[in-house]
């Protein structure tokens, strides 16, 4: 293993950073809940808000960075980002995490400036690469990145004492990333399932994408996030979210979700997308007064965003390192731990108050275990040359 290889591609450093930060940000929160973390996180904000902020704008944006720096050159044929740029944006992302962690010691305006710097630099690189072959379905992701950045800005505006928009930003940021999962998952899930079925010689019943569902399947989650960020009444966002969830479920039904039970690297994508459909419906119902909004947001956060990013990061890491697209046993187990973490976290919010701590702590432990398995299985990949490159170098 050579640390210098870590910055040769965006997926290496960001998928590693995402896995590490997934564990750290949840472990700190879980330890605090268990009474082992002192009076707070040192972040200058309430521990539960630090945890929420870092899962949305720390973990999820790291996964985004790795994905876009890897996928966009493949979409457009543009040159991949050079090592020095990968080092720059990775440094900006890390600086944001440190600034928020030390927010109690730093001027709020400095914390905001540092934490808000990562996504604009990433978006600028994505824009230059997309312009090599501009297509509306790809340019749309710049809107989504802007929405996530705007949500983080709303959080910082309250931390600066300028507006009461912290919760609006956290909720809107999570929903914007869920919309990104809807757009990306709607592409990769049927495509990767089709490829796997063809490789298995099962071409009789391939996944079916229905054009009349594809547009609303992408547009409705984006619209839901937009109306939330705009501060629209809860009922409007709730109705849109329910519609988005039902469309997502209808799309998934045509993608043969049960066709390859022996291939975790495929069914994990379906599971993540199913969590997206469920989470949107449950959150929409909560906005209309039925059920726990916190529980619903964690279905989206843990199940849809966590589950889909874990599936995509592990698949991309294997594929781009020249390895077979077969999930190691540890990673397959990690896929299965995510829905268990969802169930416990939802139960912690939905049932009696006496189950809150056991549910949340149990969920946190399962989440940390899942990402420990992911990191343990794939750690060497992030520091090694692609296999055919290593053969040439030898």
């Amino acid at each position: 293993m050579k640390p210098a290889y870590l910055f040769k591609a965006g997926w290496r450093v960001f998928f590693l950073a995402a896995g590490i930060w997934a564990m750290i940000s949840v472990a700190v929160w879980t330890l605090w809940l268990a009474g082992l973390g002192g009076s707070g996180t040192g972040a200058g904000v309430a521990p539960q808000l630090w945890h929420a902020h870092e899962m949305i704008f720390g973990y999820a944006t790291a996964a985004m960075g790795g994905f876009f720096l890897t996928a966009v050159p493949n979409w457009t044929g543009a040159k991949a980002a050079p090592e020095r740029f990968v080092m720059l944006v990775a440094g900006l992302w890390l600086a944001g995490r440190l600034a928020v962690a030390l927010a109690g010691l730093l001027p709020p305006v400095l914390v905001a400036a540092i934490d808000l710097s990562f996504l604009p630099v990433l978006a600028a690189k994505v824009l230059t690469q997309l312009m090599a072959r501009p297509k509306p379905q790809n340019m749309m992701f710049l809107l989504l990145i802007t929405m996530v950045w705007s949500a983080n800005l709303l959080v910082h505006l309250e931390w600066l004492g300028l507006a009461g928009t912290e919760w609006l930003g956290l909720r809107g940021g999570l929903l914007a990333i869920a919309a990104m999962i809807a757009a990306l998952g709607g592409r990769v899930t049927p495509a990767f399932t089709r490829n796997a079925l063809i490789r298995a010689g099962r071409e009789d019943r391939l996944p079916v994408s229905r054009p009349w569902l594809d547009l609303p399947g992408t547009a409705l989650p984006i619209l839901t996030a937009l109306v939330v960020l705009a501060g629209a009444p809860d009922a409007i966002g709730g109705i849109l979210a329910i519609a988005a969830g039902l469309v997502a479920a209808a799309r998934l039904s045509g993608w043969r979700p049960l066709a390859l039970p022996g291939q975790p690297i495929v069914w994990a994508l379906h599971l993540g997308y199913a969590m997206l459909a469920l989470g949107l419906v449950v959150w929409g119902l909560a906005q209309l007064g039925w059920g726990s909004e916190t529980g619903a947001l964690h279905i989206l956060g843990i199940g849809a965003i966590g589950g889909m990013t874990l599936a995509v990061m592990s698949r991309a890491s294997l594929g781009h390192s020249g390895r077979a697209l077969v999930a190691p046993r540890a990673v397959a187990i990690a896929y299965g731990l995510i829905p268990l973490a969802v169930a416990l976290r939802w139960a912690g919010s939905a049932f009696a108050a006496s189950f809150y701590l056991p549910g949340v702590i149990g969920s946190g432990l399962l989440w940390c275990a899942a990402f420990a398995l992911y990191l343990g299985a794939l750690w060497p990949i992030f520091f090694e040359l692609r296999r055919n490159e290593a053969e040439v170098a030898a």
Side-chain angles (χ1 to χ4, degrees), residues 18 21 54-65 93 177 305 309:
W21 200 242
E54 289 308 291
M55 291 308 300
I56 297 167
F57 304 111
Y59 166 73
T61 61
M64 285 166 49
W93 177 87
I177 295 170
I305 298 172
T309 52

Side-chain angles (χ1 to χ4, degrees), residues 2 46 95 135 163 174 177 246 284 318 348 355 369 371 378 385:
K2 293 188 177 181
K135 294 182 179 180
L174 188 146
I177 295 170
L246 293 175
L318 291 167
F355 190 71
F371 281 91
L378 302 185
L385 284 174

